PDB file of all heavy atoms in Angstrom:
ATOM      1  N   VAL A   1     -64.746  34.099  96.096  1.00 40.00           N
ATOM      2  CA  VAL A   1     -64.627  33.414  94.813  1.00 40.00           C
ATOM      3  C   VAL A   1     -63.843  34.268  93.838  1.00 40.00           C
ATOM      4  O   VAL A   1     -63.072  33.773  93.022  1.00 40.00           O
ATOM      5  CB  VAL A   1     -66.035  33.116  94.253  1.00 40.00           C
ATOM      6  CG1 VAL A   1     -65.942  32.526  92.846  1.00 40.00           C
ATOM      7  CG2 VAL A   1     -66.780  32.187  95.191  1.00 40.00           C
ATOM      8  N   GLN A   2     -64.031  35.585  93.920  1.00 42.00           N
ATOM      9  CA  GLN A   2     -63.367  36.480  92.986  1.00 42.00           C
ATOM     10  C   GLN A   2     -61.874  36.565  93.263  1.00 42.00           C
ATOM     11  O   GLN A   2     -61.066  36.714  92.350  1.00 42.00           O
ATOM     12  CB  GLN A   2     -63.975  37.879  93.073  1.00 42.00           C
ATOM     13  CG  GLN A   2     -65.432  37.930  92.656  1.00 42.00           C
ATOM     14  CD  GLN A   2     -65.974  39.330  92.788  1.00 42.00           C
ATOM     15  OE1 GLN A   2     -65.234  40.299  92.844  1.00 42.00           O
ATOM     16  NE2 GLN A   2     -67.281  39.444  92.858  1.00 42.00           N
ATOM     17  N   ASP A   3     -61.477  36.518  94.509  1.00 43.00           N
ATOM     18  CA  ASP A   3     -60.078  36.672  94.860  1.00 43.00           C
ATOM     19  C   ASP A   3     -59.296  35.418  94.541  1.00 43.00           C
ATOM     20  O   ASP A   3     -59.705  34.315  94.876  1.00 43.00           O
ATOM     21  CB  ASP A   3     -59.934  36.981  96.362  1.00 43.00           C
ATOM     22  CG  ASP A   3     -60.455  38.361  96.704  1.00 43.00           C
ATOM     23  OD1 ASP A   3     -60.563  39.182  95.774  1.00 43.00           O
ATOM     24  OD2 ASP A   3     -60.749  38.604  97.881  1.00 43.00           O
ATOM     25  N   LYS A   4     -58.185  35.608  93.901  1.00 44.00           N
ATOM     26  CA  LYS A   4     -57.337  34.492  93.528  1.00 44.00           C
ATOM     27  C   LYS A   4     -56.374  34.192  94.665  1.00 44.00           C
ATOM     28  O   LYS A   4     -55.675  35.069  95.162  1.00 44.00           O
ATOM     29  CB  LYS A   4     -56.547  34.841  92.256  1.00 44.00           C
ATOM     30  CG  LYS A   4     -55.694  33.699  91.746  1.00 44.00           C
ATOM     31  CD  LYS A   4     -54.988  34.130  90.484  1.00 44.00           C
ATOM     32  CE  LYS A   4     -54.126  33.027  89.945  1.00 44.00           C
ATOM     33  NZ  LYS A   4     -53.407  33.443  88.716  1.00 44.00           N
ATOM     34  N   GLN A   5     -56.349  32.950  95.085  1.00 51.00           N
ATOM     35  CA  GLN A   5     -55.473  32.553  96.173  1.00 51.00           C
ATOM     36  C   GLN A   5     -54.065  32.308  95.653  1.00 51.00           C
ATOM     37  O   GLN A   5     -53.862  31.731  94.590  1.00 51.00           O
ATOM     38  CB  GLN A   5     -56.009  31.274  96.834  1.00 51.00           C
ATOM     39  CG  GLN A   5     -57.375  31.445  97.454  1.00 51.00           C
ATOM     40  CD  GLN A   5     -57.364  32.457  98.579  1.00 51.00           C
ATOM     41  OE1 GLN A   5     -56.464  32.458  99.409  1.00 51.00           O
ATOM     42  NE2 GLN A   5     -58.352  33.332  98.591  1.00 51.00           N
ATOM     43  N   GLU A   6     -53.080  32.774  96.411  1.00 69.00           N
ATOM     44  CA  GLU A   6     -51.688  32.573  96.032  1.00 69.00           C
ATOM     45  C   GLU A   6     -51.337  31.093  96.144  1.00 69.00           C
ATOM     46  O   GLU A   6     -51.694  30.425  97.101  1.00 69.00           O
ATOM     47  CB  GLU A   6     -50.775  33.392  96.948  1.00 69.00           C
ATOM     48  CG  GLU A   6     -49.316  33.296  96.580  1.00 69.00           C
ATOM     49  CD  GLU A   6     -48.433  34.109  97.507  1.00 69.00           C
ATOM     50  OE1 GLU A   6     -48.966  34.657  98.489  1.00 69.00           O
ATOM     51  OE2 GLU A   6     -47.220  34.183  97.249  1.00 69.00           O
ATOM     52  N   VAL A   7     -50.643  30.599  95.128  1.00 76.00           N
ATOM     53  CA  VAL A   7     -50.235  29.201  95.108  1.00 76.00           C
ATOM     54  C   VAL A   7     -48.918  29.055  95.857  1.00 76.00           C
ATOM     55  O   VAL A   7     -47.926  29.703  95.522  1.00 76.00           O
ATOM     56  CB  VAL A   7     -50.075  28.699  93.657  1.00 76.00           C
ATOM     57  CG1 VAL A   7     -49.525  27.273  93.636  1.00 76.00           C
ATOM     58  CG2 VAL A   7     -51.408  28.774  92.919  1.00 76.00           C
ATOM     59  N   ARG A   8     -48.906  28.219  96.894  1.00 85.00           N
ATOM     60  CA  ARG A   8     -47.694  27.937  97.673  1.00 85.00           C
ATOM     61  C   ARG A   8     -47.699  26.447  97.973  1.00 85.00           C
ATOM     62  O   ARG A   8     -48.310  25.992  98.939  1.00 85.00           O
ATOM     63  CB  ARG A   8     -47.664  28.751  98.968  1.00 85.00           C
ATOM     64  CG  ARG A   8     -47.699  30.254  98.773  1.00 85.00           C
ATOM     65  CD  ARG A   8     -46.384  30.776  98.272  1.00 85.00           C
ATOM     66  NE  ARG A   8     -45.346  30.642  99.288  1.00 85.00           N
ATOM     67  CZ  ARG A   8     -44.051  30.835  99.055  1.00 85.00           C
ATOM     68  NH1 ARG A   8     -43.641  31.101  97.833  1.00 85.00           N
ATOM     69  NH2 ARG A   8     -43.177  30.712 100.028  1.00 85.00           N
ATOM     70  N   LEU A   9     -47.033  25.671  97.134  1.00 90.00           N
ATOM     71  CA  LEU A   9     -47.086  24.221  97.233  1.00 90.00           C
ATOM     72  C   LEU A   9     -45.797  23.643  97.822  1.00 90.00           C
ATOM     73  O   LEU A   9     -44.699  24.126  97.527  1.00 90.00           O
ATOM     74  CB  LEU A   9     -47.304  23.604  95.844  1.00 90.00           C
ATOM     75  CG  LEU A   9     -48.570  24.026  95.088  1.00 90.00           C
ATOM     76  CD1 LEU A   9     -48.562  23.406  93.703  1.00 90.00           C
ATOM     77  CD2 LEU A   9     -49.814  23.640  95.852  1.00 90.00           C
ATOM     78  N   SER A  10     -45.971  22.612  98.616  1.00 91.00           N
ATOM     79  CA  SER A  10     -44.804  21.846  99.058  1.00 91.00           C
ATOM     80  C   SER A  10     -44.327  20.986  97.897  1.00 91.00           C
ATOM     81  O   SER A  10     -45.002  20.876  96.872  1.00 91.00           O
ATOM     82  CB  SER A  10     -45.177  20.966 100.248  1.00 91.00           C
ATOM     83  OG  SER A  10     -46.083  19.953  99.838  1.00 91.00           O
ATOM     84  N   ARG A  11     -43.197  20.329  98.076  1.00 92.00           N
ATOM     85  CA  ARG A  11     -42.673  19.471  97.009  1.00 92.00           C
ATOM     86  C   ARG A  11     -43.657  18.328  96.698  1.00 92.00           C
ATOM     87  O   ARG A  11     -43.954  18.043  95.539  1.00 92.00           O
ATOM     88  CB  ARG A  11     -41.311  18.905  97.422  1.00 92.00           C
ATOM     89  CG  ARG A  11     -40.557  18.209  96.285  1.00 92.00           C
ATOM     90  CD  ARG A  11     -39.161  17.768  96.732  1.00 92.00           C
ATOM     91  NE  ARG A  11     -38.392  17.229  95.618  1.00 92.00           N
ATOM     92  CZ  ARG A  11     -37.708  17.960  94.757  1.00 92.00           C
ATOM     93  NH1 ARG A  11     -37.695  19.284  94.888  1.00 92.00           N
ATOM     94  NH2 ARG A  11     -37.023  17.386  93.771  1.00 92.00           N
ATOM     95  N   ALA A  12     -44.177  17.715  97.735  1.00 92.00           N
ATOM     96  CA  ALA A  12     -45.114  16.608  97.550  1.00 92.00           C
ATOM     97  C   ALA A  12     -46.390  17.093  96.859  1.00 92.00           C
ATOM     98  O   ALA A  12     -46.943  16.407  95.985  1.00 92.00           O
ATOM     99  CB  ALA A  12     -45.450  15.970  98.880  1.00 92.00           C
ATOM    100  N   GLU A  13     -46.855  18.282  97.231  1.00 91.00           N
ATOM    101  CA  GLU A  13     -48.075  18.826  96.623  1.00 91.00           C
ATOM    102  C   GLU A  13     -47.849  19.148  95.145  1.00 91.00           C
ATOM    103  O   GLU A  13     -48.732  18.935  94.314  1.00 91.00           O
ATOM    104  CB  GLU A  13     -48.509  20.075  97.375  1.00 91.00           C
ATOM    105  CG  GLU A  13     -49.067  19.776  98.765  1.00 91.00           C
ATOM    106  CD  GLU A  13     -49.267  21.028  99.596  1.00 91.00           C
ATOM    107  OE1 GLU A  13     -48.593  22.059  99.304  1.00 91.00           O
ATOM    108  OE2 GLU A  13     -50.068  20.990 100.541  1.00 91.00           O
ATOM    109  N   LEU A  14     -46.669  19.670  94.823  1.00 91.00           N
ATOM    110  CA  LEU A  14     -46.361  19.975  93.429  1.00 91.00           C
ATOM    111  C   LEU A  14     -46.315  18.697  92.590  1.00 91.00           C
ATOM    112  O   LEU A  14     -46.857  18.650  91.481  1.00 91.00           O
ATOM    113  CB  LEU A  14     -45.025  20.713  93.331  1.00 91.00           C
ATOM    114  CG  LEU A  14     -44.575  21.067  91.908  1.00 91.00           C
ATOM    115  CD1 LEU A  14     -45.523  22.074  91.278  1.00 91.00           C
ATOM    116  CD2 LEU A  14     -43.148  21.599  91.900  1.00 91.00           C
ATOM    117  N   LEU A  15     -45.669  17.660  93.131  1.00 91.00           N
ATOM    118  CA  LEU A  15     -45.595  16.391  92.411  1.00 91.00           C
ATOM    119  C   LEU A  15     -46.991  15.853  92.114  1.00 91.00           C
ATOM    120  O   LEU A  15     -47.274  15.389  90.998  1.00 91.00           O
ATOM    121  CB  LEU A  15     -44.799  15.370  93.231  1.00 91.00           C
ATOM    122  CG  LEU A  15     -43.290  15.628  93.357  1.00 91.00           C
ATOM    123  CD1 LEU A  15     -42.674  14.661  94.360  1.00 91.00           C
ATOM    124  CD2 LEU A  15     -42.600  15.505  92.003  1.00 91.00           C
ATOM    125  N   GLU A  16     -47.865  15.949  93.094  1.00 91.00           N
ATOM    126  CA  GLU A  16     -49.228  15.436  92.922  1.00 91.00           C
ATOM    127  C   GLU A  16     -50.023  16.299  91.939  1.00 91.00           C
ATOM    128  O   GLU A  16     -50.704  15.784  91.056  1.00 91.00           O
ATOM    129  CB  GLU A  16     -49.943  15.386  94.269  1.00 91.00           C
ATOM    130  CG  GLU A  16     -51.363  14.837  94.173  1.00 91.00           C
ATOM    131  CD  GLU A  16     -52.052  14.764  95.530  1.00 91.00           C
ATOM    132  OE1 GLU A  16     -51.397  15.112  96.542  1.00 91.00           O
ATOM    133  OE2 GLU A  16     -53.214  14.371  95.567  1.00 91.00           O
ATOM    134  N   ALA A  17     -49.908  17.638  92.091  1.00 89.00           N
ATOM    135  CA  ALA A  17     -50.692  18.547  91.245  1.00 89.00           C
ATOM    136  C   ALA A  17     -50.253  18.488  89.789  1.00 89.00           C
ATOM    137  O   ALA A  17     -51.073  18.619  88.873  1.00 89.00           O
ATOM    138  CB  ALA A  17     -50.572  19.978  91.770  1.00 89.00           C
ATOM    139  N   ALA A  18     -48.955  18.292  89.553  1.00 88.00           N
ATOM    140  CA  ALA A  18     -48.439  18.279  88.185  1.00 88.00           C
ATOM    141  C   ALA A  18     -48.379  16.881  87.597  1.00 88.00           C
ATOM    142  O   ALA A  18     -48.156  16.733  86.384  1.00 88.00           O
ATOM    143  CB  ALA A  18     -47.053  18.906  88.154  1.00 88.00           C
ATOM    144  N   GLY A  19     -48.566  15.859  88.431  1.00 89.00           N
ATOM    145  CA  GLY A  19     -48.495  14.488  87.942  1.00 89.00           C
ATOM    146  C   GLY A  19     -47.093  14.070  87.543  1.00 89.00           C
ATOM    147  O   GLY A  19     -46.910  13.297  86.597  1.00 89.00           O
ATOM    148  N   LEU A  20     -46.088  14.590  88.256  1.00 89.00           N
ATOM    149  CA  LEU A  20     -44.692  14.265  87.964  1.00 89.00           C
ATOM    150  C   LEU A  20     -44.149  13.294  88.994  1.00 89.00           C
ATOM    151  O   LEU A  20     -44.681  13.163  90.102  1.00 89.00           O
ATOM    152  CB  LEU A  20     -43.839  15.541  87.977  1.00 89.00           C
ATOM    153  CG  LEU A  20     -44.142  16.623  86.942  1.00 89.00           C
ATOM    154  CD1 LEU A  20     -43.169  17.772  87.116  1.00 89.00           C
ATOM    155  CD2 LEU A  20     -44.087  16.083  85.525  1.00 89.00           C
ATOM    156  N   ASP A  21     -43.032  12.651  88.628  1.00 91.00           N
ATOM    157  CA  ASP A  21     -42.327  11.833  89.608  1.00 91.00           C
ATOM    158  C   ASP A  21     -41.132  12.624  90.138  1.00 91.00           C
ATOM    159  O   ASP A  21     -40.754  13.664  89.595  1.00 91.00           O
ATOM    160  CB  ASP A  21     -41.880  10.496  89.005  1.00 91.00           C
ATOM    161  CG  ASP A  21     -41.028  10.659  87.756  1.00 91.00           C
ATOM    162  OD1 ASP A  21     -40.216  11.613  87.697  1.00 91.00           O
ATOM    163  OD2 ASP A  21     -41.171   9.853  86.822  1.00 91.00           O
ATOM    164  N   GLU A  22     -40.543  12.128  91.195  1.00 93.00           N
ATOM    165  CA  GLU A  22     -39.443  12.818  91.854  1.00 93.00           C
ATOM    166  C   GLU A  22     -38.264  13.039  90.909  1.00 93.00           C
ATOM    167  O   GLU A  22     -37.624  14.098  90.912  1.00 93.00           O
ATOM    168  CB  GLU A  22     -38.990  12.013  93.076  1.00 93.00           C
ATOM    169  CG  GLU A  22     -37.877  12.649  93.889  1.00 93.00           C
ATOM    170  CD  GLU A  22     -38.320  13.889  94.642  1.00 93.00           C
ATOM    171  OE1 GLU A  22     -39.459  13.906  95.138  1.00 93.00           O
ATOM    172  OE2 GLU A  22     -37.520  14.835  94.729  1.00 93.00           O
ATOM    173  N   GLU A  23     -37.967  12.039  90.096  1.00 92.00           N
ATOM    174  CA  GLU A  23     -36.824  12.139  89.181  1.00 92.00           C
ATOM    175  C   GLU A  23     -37.011  13.270  88.177  1.00 92.00           C
ATOM    176  O   GLU A  23     -36.073  14.037  87.899  1.00 92.00           O
ATOM    177  CB  GLU A  23     -36.640  10.812  88.451  1.00 92.00           C
ATOM    178  CG  GLU A  23     -35.451  10.804  87.496  1.00 92.00           C
ATOM    179  CD  GLU A  23     -35.301   9.477  86.774  1.00 92.00           C
ATOM    180  OE1 GLU A  23     -36.079   8.540  87.062  1.00 92.00           O
ATOM    181  OE2 GLU A  23     -34.401   9.374  85.915  1.00 92.00           O
ATOM    182  N   THR A  24     -38.232  13.411  87.639  1.00 92.00           N
ATOM    183  CA  THR A  24     -38.497  14.462  86.656  1.00 92.00           C
ATOM    184  C   THR A  24     -38.400  15.835  87.290  1.00 92.00           C
ATOM    185  O   THR A  24     -37.829  16.771  86.699  1.00 92.00           O
ATOM    186  CB  THR A  24     -39.893  14.277  86.034  1.00 92.00           C
ATOM    187  OG1 THR A  24     -39.968  12.993  85.411  1.00 92.00           O
ATOM    188  CG2 THR A  24     -40.178  15.358  85.005  1.00 92.00           C
ATOM    189  N   LEU A  25     -38.934  15.992  88.493  1.00 93.00           N
ATOM    190  CA  LEU A  25     -38.861  17.279  89.174  1.00 93.00           C
ATOM    191  C   LEU A  25     -37.416  17.657  89.463  1.00 93.00           C
ATOM    192  O   LEU A  25     -37.013  18.813  89.287  1.00 93.00           O
ATOM    193  CB  LEU A  25     -39.677  17.240  90.468  1.00 93.00           C
ATOM    194  CG  LEU A  25     -39.669  18.530  91.304  1.00 93.00           C
ATOM    195  CD1 LEU A  25     -40.094  19.727  90.468  1.00 93.00           C
ATOM    196  CD2 LEU A  25     -40.570  18.378  92.527  1.00 93.00           C
ATOM    197  N   THR A  26     -36.635  16.709  89.891  1.00 93.00           N
ATOM    198  CA  THR A  26     -35.212  16.975  90.144  1.00 93.00           C
ATOM    199  C   THR A  26     -34.516  17.416  88.863  1.00 93.00           C
ATOM    200  O   THR A  26     -33.682  18.334  88.864  1.00 93.00           O
ATOM    201  CB  THR A  26     -34.529  15.717  90.714  1.00 93.00           C
ATOM    202  OG1 THR A  26     -35.154  15.368  91.952  1.00 93.00           O
ATOM    203  CG2 THR A  26     -33.048  15.966  90.949  1.00 93.00           C
ATOM    204  N   GLU A  27     -34.864  16.779  87.748  1.00 92.00           N
ATOM    205  CA  GLU A  27     -34.277  17.141  86.460  1.00 92.00           C
ATOM    206  C   GLU A  27     -34.660  18.574  86.080  1.00 92.00           C
ATOM    207  O   GLU A  27     -33.816  19.341  85.586  1.00 92.00           O
ATOM    208  CB  GLU A  27     -34.742  16.168  85.379  1.00 92.00           C
ATOM    209  CG  GLU A  27     -34.083  16.405  84.030  1.00 92.00           C
ATOM    210  CD  GLU A  27     -34.579  15.449  82.955  1.00 92.00           C
ATOM    211  OE1 GLU A  27     -35.734  14.973  83.070  1.00 92.00           O
ATOM    212  OE2 GLU A  27     -33.826  15.195  82.008  1.00 92.00           O
ATOM    213  N   LEU A  28     -35.900  18.949  86.326  1.00 93.00           N
ATOM    214  CA  LEU A  28     -36.346  20.313  86.038  1.00 93.00           C
ATOM    215  C   LEU A  28     -35.535  21.327  86.834  1.00 93.00           C
ATOM    216  O   LEU A  28     -35.146  22.385  86.321  1.00 93.00           O
ATOM    217  CB  LEU A  28     -37.833  20.465  86.367  1.00 93.00           C
ATOM    218  CG  LEU A  28     -38.832  19.754  85.458  1.00 93.00           C
ATOM    219  CD1 LEU A  28     -40.242  19.928  85.995  1.00 93.00           C
ATOM    220  CD2 LEU A  28     -38.734  20.284  84.045  1.00 93.00           C
ATOM    221  N   GLU A  29     -35.289  21.017  88.088  1.00 93.00           N
ATOM    222  CA  GLU A  29     -34.514  21.918  88.931  1.00 93.00           C
ATOM    223  C   GLU A  29     -33.052  21.955  88.501  1.00 93.00           C
ATOM    224  O   GLU A  29     -32.417  23.019  88.498  1.00 93.00           O
ATOM    225  CB  GLU A  29     -34.643  21.491  90.392  1.00 93.00           C
ATOM    226  CG  GLU A  29     -36.052  21.698  90.936  1.00 93.00           C
ATOM    227  CD  GLU A  29     -36.229  21.191  92.358  1.00 93.00           C
ATOM    228  OE1 GLU A  29     -35.680  20.114  92.671  1.00 93.00           O
ATOM    229  OE2 GLU A  29     -36.899  21.883  93.144  1.00 93.00           O
ATOM    230  N   ASP A  30     -32.510  20.800  88.134  1.00 92.00           N
ATOM    231  CA  ASP A  30     -31.107  20.741  87.705  1.00 92.00           C
ATOM    232  C   ASP A  30     -30.873  21.583  86.452  1.00 92.00           C
ATOM    233  O   ASP A  30     -29.814  22.195  86.288  1.00 92.00           O
ATOM    234  CB  ASP A  30     -30.694  19.298  87.438  1.00 92.00           C
ATOM    235  CG  ASP A  30     -30.561  18.479  88.713  1.00 92.00           C
ATOM    236  OD1 ASP A  30     -30.491  19.088  89.792  1.00 92.00           O
ATOM    237  OD2 ASP A  30     -30.541  17.234  88.623  1.00 92.00           O
ATOM    238  N   TYR A  31     -31.869  21.618  85.554  1.00 91.00           N
ATOM    239  CA  TYR A  31     -31.735  22.393  84.323  1.00 91.00           C
ATOM    240  C   TYR A  31     -32.226  23.834  84.480  1.00 91.00           C
ATOM    241  O   TYR A  31     -32.276  24.589  83.507  1.00 91.00           O
ATOM    242  CB  TYR A  31     -32.482  21.706  83.182  1.00 91.00           C
ATOM    243  CG  TYR A  31     -31.723  20.533  82.595  1.00 91.00           C
ATOM    244  CD1 TYR A  31     -32.014  19.235  82.991  1.00 91.00           C
ATOM    245  CD2 TYR A  31     -30.703  20.728  81.674  1.00 91.00           C
ATOM    246  CE1 TYR A  31     -31.315  18.149  82.470  1.00 91.00           C
ATOM    247  CE2 TYR A  31     -30.001  19.660  81.139  1.00 91.00           C
ATOM    248  CZ  TYR A  31     -30.306  18.372  81.548  1.00 91.00           C
ATOM    249  OH  TYR A  31     -29.600  17.309  81.027  1.00 91.00           O
TER     250      TYR A  31
END
């Protein structure tokens, strides 16, 4: 419980965890 797990998310996992759509994520990467 004390140890913090490293976050390593796939694209689909990031979209779900952040509540973003594909278009917004692409825009974030483009900028």
Side-chain angles (χ1 to χ4, degrees):
V1 174
Q2 296 179 19
D3 291 340
K4 183 179 180 181
Q5 298 297 316
E6 183 180 5
V7 175
R8 300 286 292 170
L9 301 176
S10 67
R11 191 175 186 84
E13 289 170 337
L14 179 66
L15 290 172
E16 181 179 358
L20 297 181
D21 55 37
E22 182 70 38
E23 181 181 357
T24 301
L25 179 54
T26 299
E27 185 181 27
L28 289 176
E29 292 176 320
D30 289 344
Y31 282 98

